[in-house]
Amino acid sequence: SSPVTGVQTCALPILADENFSIDTLAEQMNMSRSNFYRKIKALSGMSPNDYLKALRMNKAAELIQGGTRISEVAAQIGRASCR
């Protein structure tokens, strides 16, 4: 499996945690923050923060298309506040 798939596997179950960070994800991937940054940048063309935002937005779009209410979507992607 590719490193991007590994990132998604680690990140998707805990997207709802507002305190989830790139440092947490790098740690779960058993990589230093700098190596993680380089790997994500090389594979996705985005910074890890932008990649995580894109992952959250893609998950949100999927949930909305499935009929999930916006407030529930916000909670599930780590955005408890809809402001």
Side-chain angles (χ1 to χ4, degrees), residues 3-83:
V4 170
T5 303
V7 170
Q8 291 174 350
T9 301
C10 285
L12 284 174
I14 50 180
L15 282 180
D17 182 355
E18 288 187 43
N19 299 315
F20 180 64
S21 70
I22 295 305
D23 292 330
T24 306
L25 188 53
E27 187 177 302
Q28 288 186 356
M29 297 290 296
N30 294 318
M31 300 175 90
S32 70
R33 191 182 205 302
S34 57
N35 282 341
F36 182 74
Y37 183 93
R38 281 193 293 274
K39 182 70 79 173
I40 293 297
K41 184 76 171 173
L43 293 171
S44 71
M46 293 184 260
S47 72
N49 281 326
D50 288 344
Y51 181 78
L52 191 56
K53 285 179 194 173
L55 201 58
R56 279 186 160 126
M57 292 301 105
N58 288 339
K59 181 65 176 176
E62 184 180 303
L63 292 168
I64 290 167
Q65 288 174 346
T68 306
R69 290 190 342 234
I70 298 297
S71 59
E72 292 173 14
V73 170
Q76 288 185 41
I77 63 162
R79 298 288 183 249
S81 171
C82 291
R83 288 181 242 153

